[in-house]
Structures are given as structure tokens and as C-alpha cells.
Amino acid sequence: MNSQDFSMANTCKEQTRLGFTRDTDNFLNTLFQIWDKLGMDDTQKKTRGEAARSHVKALMQNMITEEENLMSRLAKTITDFTEKLDQLCEELSLPHIRVSTDLTMIQREKLLRTKVELMSKEKNDRLSKYKELHAKDQELCDCLNMTPYYLPSGVVPSLEQLKECEKHVNQLQVEKDKRFSLFTVTKRKIVDLYNLLEMDPESSFGHDLVCEDDAAFQLSTKNMDQMNDLFESLTMLNDEMVTEVEDLWERLRALWNRLEISDIDREAFETNKKGHGKAVIEALKAEIVECEKLKFENMRKFIDGIRTELNSWWSKCYFSKEQRDEFRGFYEEDCTEELLSRHEEELEKMRKYYSSARDLFERLSHRDELFQKMIVMEAKAHNVNRYKNRGGKLLQEEKTRKKVLKEIPKVEEEIAEAVLKWESSTGKEFRLNGLRYPDFIENEWTHFHEHKEQQKQSRLQARAKQTHDEMLYGSKASISMTPSKRKLQPVITPIRTPLKARKMNDMTRTPNTTSKLPNSSRFHSTLLSSPFGRKPLYTPKTPCNTSSRKRRSIRLIERAATERRVATNRRRSREATFSHTTVSSDDHAAPALAAHGSYNDFANGLSKPNCRSSVVPTAFTPIHKH
């Protein structure tokens, strides 16, 4: 205690003493006044004064005792608070707190009490939070059938333990949500499969899964695995039943076709026979049994039907003639039950073979479609009438053709890989029309190119023949290889018009006509007296008001002129093979050609657009002199 506190304590004590003295003096004065009035003597006053002093002394002694007891209790409280504080620090995993000894007992007690209250509140908060987390953890673990977060009983969790427990609970919650979402989706699929298959759950697990509430299902790893196994088994069963129903329908329709069942009876049976449930399967099997009974009554019809179906399967499986001939019963005529059984066995064998390589045959069918499409496109590309199309149709055809040509090699490569995989898995050779796949593809391409080359040679021969005919008999505008976009109406030009007569009278002014022929004036009368109103090789179009028709006319003129130039060049290249003597060997044409100049003059006259000398054999009939 410092001097200031000591002086303050002395002052407080002195004030208390003075107060006691004053109160005692007043008390004694009052007592003696009362005793004087009562008339007590000194002995009595002394006796009573001693009694009063003893009483005050006892009172003061009691007060001192009480204060000493208070001090003892305070000391004990300090001790208890110190011990409890140490215990709380240990439970809460906190460092121990030490109170300074310089403090008074009251200060120490107050400080310790405050610390204990704070520490107790921290402990209660931790326990309360852990209790909440533990309850949630236990619930999630029960649902997921997992081990709860471990914490020794009777231990206050530390802050790190609470964080780890909370993290554990959050992870369990995420896992539960994930499993529950998967559970609801899978359960809905399982219920749909049961309804689709028209079945009820056979196992207790399946019954509990379908019938119980979603919240009651335990999302344990075992249950989830069982649920997935059940779903996979139902999916496999569904696929098997789909395949079975397809086979039954195929078998039944084949029986119907062989028995020639009417469409009305077929539609009547097919009513309400949708899906692939048990009821549908049983109905199909019953109908097949009935058809089987009729089958033996119609043996010949059935065998013929199976043979037709066998041909279809053989074509689907690309069987060669040698492979088909291996089935000897196909050509037997004695219809017996044994022959029918052999046909059915062969048909079932073909079905199984097709099913074992269904993917391959579907790919091959797609490739055949593309190949046939390519052939059609190639034929269109060489069609002389293809330029009559409008609206960008040619461009669309060319795009489709390029797309098909680009897709065929990819499909063939995919099929080649699938064939190798099939052969390695089955240990058999995959043959198409008796050939290995590479040989089959090469054979088809070889035939395609050969056919294409034959068509090309045919076109060249036809063009050469046309050129030869034109050189001998003159060109004809009506057999042009390139069709025009708009057909011209035949124009009959009057012979004896003033303008035409004037032009023919002045042969030197007529361009590209008989001015090229030597001695053209001597045939003037023959031209005027010709009985034929011949159509000119080129008739100009009537001028149109629209610019588009003018452009089309110009294009037609240019195209016709280009083709005539090409034909002329070809004829000139072949002049070595056609001599003047050869041309003159014709009994009728020789005099006319000899009368109208050399062969070169005649050939040059054919290349002009408005040349009418190309029809000399018709217009100029020679007059034989006798």
C-alpha cells in the first residue's frame, strides 16, 4: 500500500473513530439522563453502564467475527475461482491465467469471477455448437451409413476440432445431396422400366425401393450399389425384351406374309400391342403358335415364302452365288416337313449371321446408297439437258456430288476398321459376294471406272459420227449437242421477197453465203427456183425489251459460234483421212461438190454462221447434160 492509500485509510479510520466517539458520548449522555430521571444511584448506574459496555463490546465482537468470516469466504472464493479458472483454461486448451498478488482480495475476487464467467460462457458455446454439429453429423451418418466424427466424451472441443467437425458435416451434406439426387433419378428410371416391362419388383430391396418414401431410403454405399445393379439388370432385361419382341414381330410378320393373312386381320391383332411388356410377348407367342399350326397346313406356300425371305437375307449379307448354292434344299421340289425345317434352320442361321455383324451391314448399306448416289450424280454431270435447270440447281448438284465423293472414302475406311475388328473377334473371314472387303471395294470401283470409260467412248464415237455426217451431208442446226435455253420456232423464210431477191441478185454483197463458191452467178437461177423453203442455220432472235433476254441471246450466239468453231477444227484435223477422191465416190454428191469448188472451200463455208452453202446437196441439184 502506498503512502497516499495509507493516508486515505488513516483518514477514513479517524473519521470512523470520531464518529464512534461522538455517538458513544451521545449514547452515554442519554442513558445517564434517563437514569437520573429514574433516580438510580451510582451503583446502579455503574452496573447498568457495565452492562451497556459489555453489550456494545459483544456487538463489536460479533461484527468483527462476521467480517473475519467474510474475509475467509472471500479467500475461499478466490481460491475456488482460481482453481475453476485453471480447469477452464485446461478444458478450453487455453494458457493458464495468473492474477497479480498486489491486488486486494476484493479486486482479485472480482477479476477472477469475471474471468470464470467469460470462460464458462466460451465453454458452453463450444459445447452447444458441438452438440448441434454432432446431432447433424449423426443424422447424416445414419442416412449414409458412415462413421460419425469422433470426439472423446466429456471433453470440451477445441476451436480446431469444431472447425474439422463442421467441415466433416458439410462434406456429408454434399455427399447426401449428391446421392439423393442420383437416387431420385435412378428410382424414377427403375419405376419407368417396371411399368414398361409390366413387371412388379421381385426382391425385397426392389419392393422397398419402389414402395417406400424417398426420405426413408438409406443412401448407403451398399444400397446405392444395389440400386445401380438393379437398374442395370432391368436395362439389360429391357434390351433383351425389346430384341425378343422385335424378333417375335419379325417372325410373326414373316408367317403372316407366307400365310397371306389379310391386312384387316393384321391390324386387328396389332391393336393395343404396343411396347414390349410381358402381355405383348405372351400375345405374340400365342399368335405365332396359331400361325405355326397353319404353317404345316400350307407347306408349299411356307417354303416358297422362306425362299423369298432367304433371297432377301442373302442379298443383305452380300452372299455370292456359290455361297447360296451351298444350301441344296433351296432347289428341291418335294415339300416335306423335313425340308421346311431345313429352310427354317437356314433362315435362322442367316438371321444370326446378320445380327452378329449388324453394324457392318448397316454401314455397307449406307456406303451402297452413297455409291449409287455418286453414279446418279456422274450421269447427271454428263447429261446434255442439265443446263436447262433454273434456280441454282446445278450448283446444288455439284455441291452434293463433291460431298458424296468426299464422304465415300471416309465410310469405306470406317468399314475397313470395323471388318478387321470383327474378324479378330470372331476368327472368321468377312466376305462380300465371295470376296474380301478390300477386293470387293476395288472390284466395284473398277467396274465404275470401266462403265464411265465406256460411256465416254460412246459419246466420242457418237460425236465423231455426227462430225463425219456433217462433213458429208452438211451441218444441221437441229442436232446441236448443246441445247439452247430457249427453243427457237422454225422460221420459213420466203424466197421471193424483194429484199431476198435483191440480196440474191447481188451475190457479192451477201456475207457468208455463195460468195465463197466459185462461179456463183451461174447458179443464180437455181437458187431462186429452189422449191424448198429451208430454215437458215441461225435465225436471229426478235429484240426483247428486257436486258436479261438480250444477255441470253448473246450467250446463245456465242455458244453456238464456239461449238461451230470447235466442230470446224475437228473436221480440219481429219482432212487427211477424207480426200477429194473419197468425197467424190458418192454417186450423188460428187458432181455437186465438183461443181462448187474444192473441198477446202466447202469446209470453210460450213464454219460461217449464216452460210447456206452447207446445204448445197439439197439446194443445188446438179443438172446433168446429155
Side-chain angles (χ1 to χ4, degrees):
M1 183 180 295
N2 54 28
S3 57
Q4 185 178 0
D5 294 338
F6 183 76
S7 61
M8 289 179 63
N10 289 335
T11 303
C12 181
K13 179 180 179 182
E14 186 64 24
Q15 290 177 354
T16 303
R17 187 184 66 80
L18 292 175
F20 265 98
T21 303
R22 185 174 55 254
D23 292 338
T24 302
D25 290 343
N26 292 332
F27 169 70
L28 289 175
N29 291 332
T30 303
L31 283 178
F32 276 97
Q33 287 177 1
I34 294 172
W35 289 340
D36 287 342
K37 288 180 179 180
L38 290 174
M40 291 183 180
D41 56 10
D42 293 337
T43 303
Q44 290 177 336
K45 290 179 180 179
K46 183 179 180 181
T47 303
R48 285 186 177 273
E50 288 294 332
R53 188 178 66 81
S54 298
H55 183 71
V56 171
K57 182 179 179 181
L59 179 61
M60 294 301 292
Q61 189 62 42
N62 289 335
M63 290 178 62
I64 291 172
T65 301
E66 290 179 359
E67 294 299 325
E68 288 177 348
N69 292 334
L70 176 61
M71 185 175 64
S72 299
R73 289 196 304 271
L74 188 60
K76 188 176 183 306
T77 302
I78 291 173
T79 303
D80 292 340
F81 280 159
T82 302
E83 292 176 356
K84 191 171 184 179
L85 185 60
D86 291 339
Q87 182 182 358
L88 289 172
C89 290
E90 185 175 355
E91 289 177 350
L92 298 176
S93 301
L94 296 175
H96 291 274
I97 300 174
R98 293 288 179 257
V99 181
S100 176
T101 56
D102 294 338
L103 300 176
T104 61
M105 294 181 69
I106 295 177
Q107 291 174 337
R108 291 171 62 190
E109 188 273 339
K110 182 178 180 182
L111 179 60
L112 290 171
R113 183 173 62 250
T114 304
K115 292 290 184 181
V116 168
E117 289 176 355
L118 292 175
M119 300 290 278
S120 298
K121 185 176 182 302
E122 176 71 15
K123 177 182 177 181
N124 293 332
D125 291 342
R126 290 190 188 182
L127 291 174
S128 177
K129 187 173 183 180
Y130 173 71
K131 183 179 179 180
E132 180 182 353
L133 291 174
H134 180 68
K136 194 171 184 180
D137 183 36
Q138 190 66 41
E139 178 185 355
L140 292 172
C141 290
D142 292 340
C143 182
L144 301 175
N145 194 20
M146 299 177 68
T147 304
Y149 181 80
Y150 175 73
L151 191 67
S153 59
V155 177
V156 179
S158 63
L159 295 177
E160 293 297 329
Q161 289 174 332
L162 287 176
K163 288 181 181 179
E164 291 178 1
C165 183
E166 186 175 6
K167 181 179 179 181
H168 178 73
V169 170
N170 292 335
Q171 290 176 349
L172 291 180
Q173 184 64 46
V174 172
E175 182 66 20
K176 177 187 176 182
D177 295 340
K178 179 181 177 181
R179 292 189 183 184
F180 186 76
S181 177
L182 179 62
F183 160 73
T184 54
V185 173
T186 308
K187 178 181 177 179
R188 184 168 60 252
K189 292 180 180 179
I190 289 174
V191 172
D192 293 340
L193 285 173
Y194 275 128
N195 295 331
L196 193 62
L197 299 174
E198 299 176 359
M199 295 174 56
D200 293 328
E202 298 178 354
S203 62
S204 59
F205 175 81
H207 184 272
D208 295 340
L209 176 66
V210 173
C211 300
E212 288 186 359
D213 187 45
D214 294 350
F217 184 78
Q218 189 181 39
L219 302 174
S220 62
T221 305
K222 180 180 178 182
N223 288 347
M224 296 298 290
D225 292 340
Q226 288 183 351
M227 181 179 65
N228 290 331
D229 293 341
L230 177 60
F231 174 69
E232 291 177 359
S233 63
L234 288 176
T235 303
M236 292 178 60
L237 180 60
N238 180 68
D239 295 339
E240 292 174 358
M241 293 181 70
V242 168
T243 304
E244 183 181 4
V245 168
E246 290 177 354
D247 293 340
L248 289 174
W249 274 115
E250 185 177 358
R251 184 178 174 186
L252 179 60
R253 289 191 175 100
L255 290 170
W256 280 347
N257 293 334
R258 295 166 194 165
L259 294 172
E260 298 180 356
I261 302 298
S262 64
D263 294 338
I264 298 177
D265 294 336
R266 298 186 187 192
E267 292 175 0
F269 177 79
E270 290 176 353
T271 305
N272 300 326
K273 298 296 188 303
K274 305 298 181 182
H276 50 275
K278 281 188 174 181
V280 175
I281 292 177
E282 292 175 357
L284 288 172
K285 289 181 177 179
E287 182 67 14
I288 288 174
V289 169
E290 294 297 327
C291 291
E292 289 286 347
K293 294 179 181 178
L294 296 176
K295 179 179 69 174
F296 291 102
E297 300 174 4
N298 300 271
M299 195 74 67
R300 163 58 67 181
K301 185 185 296 184
F302 254 79
I303 292 177
D304 292 340
I306 294 178
R307 286 175 177 175
T308 302
E309 195 170 351
L310 271 176
N311 276 322
S312 175
W313 283 107
W314 283 338
S315 299
K316 285 183 180 180
C317 297
Y318 296 86
F319 266 36
S320 63
K321 186 178 185 304
E322 292 75 11
Q323 289 175 300
R324 301 183 185 196
D325 291 342
E326 290 178 0
F327 179 57
R328 304 287 184 180
F330 191 83
Y331 303 101
E332 295 182 9
E333 295 297 332
D334 188 11
C335 297
T336 61
E337 184 176 349
E338 188 269 338
L339 181 63
L340 178 61
S341 299
R342 288 166 58 192
H343 277 74
E344 289 177 343
E345 290 175 0
E346 182 67 19
L347 181 61
E348 186 64 25
K349 174 183 173 183
M350 292 305 303
R351 285 175 177 169
K352 290 181 178 178
Y353 176 68
Y354 182 85
S355 299
S356 66
R358 181 187 297 270
D359 181 63
L360 275 176
F361 289 124
E362 289 177 354
R363 290 172 184 254
L364 285 167
S365 178
H366 177 58
R367 185 258 175 197
D368 289 344
E369 292 177 1
L370 292 175
F371 200 81
Q372 294 301 322
K373 193 173 184 180
M374 180 192 66
I375 294 175
V376 173
M377 290 293 176
E378 289 291 335
K380 287 184 178 180
H382 295 92
N383 186 4
V384 296
N385 296 320
R386 69 194 301 259
Y387 295 102
K388 293 183 180 181
N389 295 321
R390 292 292 189 271
K393 195 172 182 180
L394 290 178
L395 180 60
Q396 185 64 32
E397 288 181 1
E398 187 64 21
K399 288 182 179 179
T400 305
R401 178 172 168 269
K402 290 181 179 179
K403 182 179 178 182
V404 170
L405 290 176
K406 186 177 180 181
E407 188 176 357
I408 288 178
K410 294 182 180 179
V411 175
E412 290 179 350
E413 185 176 355
E414 293 175 357
I415 295 174
E417 295 177 358
V419 167
L420 292 176
K421 185 177 180 181
W422 185 87
E423 289 181 344
S424 62
S425 62
T426 59
K428 301 178 182 178
E429 288 187 355
F430 186 77
R431 293 190 170 272
L432 302 170
N433 293 337
L435 301 173
R436 298 291 300 276
Y437 174 73
D439 300 333
F440 172 78
I441 295 298
E442 183 180 359
N443 192 28
E444 283 210 339
W445 280 106
T446 301
H447 286 318
F448 169 73
H449 290 303
E450 289 177 354
H451 180 69
K452 189 176 179 181
E453 184 64 24
Q454 289 176 0
Q455 289 182 336
K456 180 180 177 181
Q457 294 300 329
S458 298
R459 289 195 299 270
L460 291 176
Q461 291 175 3
R463 194 174 300 168
K465 183 177 183 302
Q466 180 185 359
T467 303
H468 179 266
D469 293 343
E470 289 177 355
M471 292 174 64
L472 289 178
Y473 307 111
S475 61
K476 296 181 181 180
S478 59
I479 35 179
S480 175
M481 294 300 291
T482 305
S484 61
K485 293 185 178 180
R486 184 177 57 143
K487 292 185 178 180
L488 298 174
Q489 297 296 331
V491 179
I492 305 301
T493 306
I495 296 177
R496 300 183 181 278
T497 59
L499 180 59
K500 179 65 71 172
R502 186 165 58 250
K503 287 185 178 180
M504 289 191 174
N505 289 332
D506 191 1
M507 297 297 288
T508 59
R509 295 184 181 181
T510 305
N512 300 327
T513 57
T514 55
S515 61
K516 298 290 180 179
L517 298 174
N519 301 324
S520 59
S521 60
R522 59 185 291 193
F523 301 104
H524 177 67
S525 60
T526 308
L527 280 171
L528 292 177
S529 60
S530 174
F532 299 98
R534 296 187 60 82
K535 180 175 68 174
L537 292 178
Y538 168 69
T539 304
K541 292 184 179 180
T542 305
C544 302
N545 294 330
T546 61
S547 59
S548 61
R549 294 187 178 180
K550 290 181 180 180
R551 286 196 296 271
R552 281 200 299 268
S553 300
I554 293 172
R555 287 198 300 270
L556 289 174
I557 294 171
E558 292 176 351
R559 183 181 298 170
T562 302
E563 291 182 354
R564 280 191 291 272
R565 284 196 296 272
V566 172
T568 301
N569 293 334
R570 290 177 178 171
R571 285 193 296 272
R572 287 178 179 176
S573 64
R574 298 178 181 177
E575 285 181 0
T577 57
F578 296 96
S579 64
H580 184 73
T581 305
T582 306
V583 176
S584 302
S585 61
D586 194 332
D587 294 338
H588 300 285
L593 292 173
H596 294 88
S598 65
Y599 173 78
N600 291 334
D601 292 336
F602 175 73
N604 291 335
L606 291 177
S607 64
K608 303 301 180 181
N610 297 326
C611 180
R612 285 193 174 87
S613 62
S614 60
V615 291
V616 167
T618 306
F620 298 95
T621 305
I623 303 174
H624 298 280
K625 295 181 180 180
H626 298 282

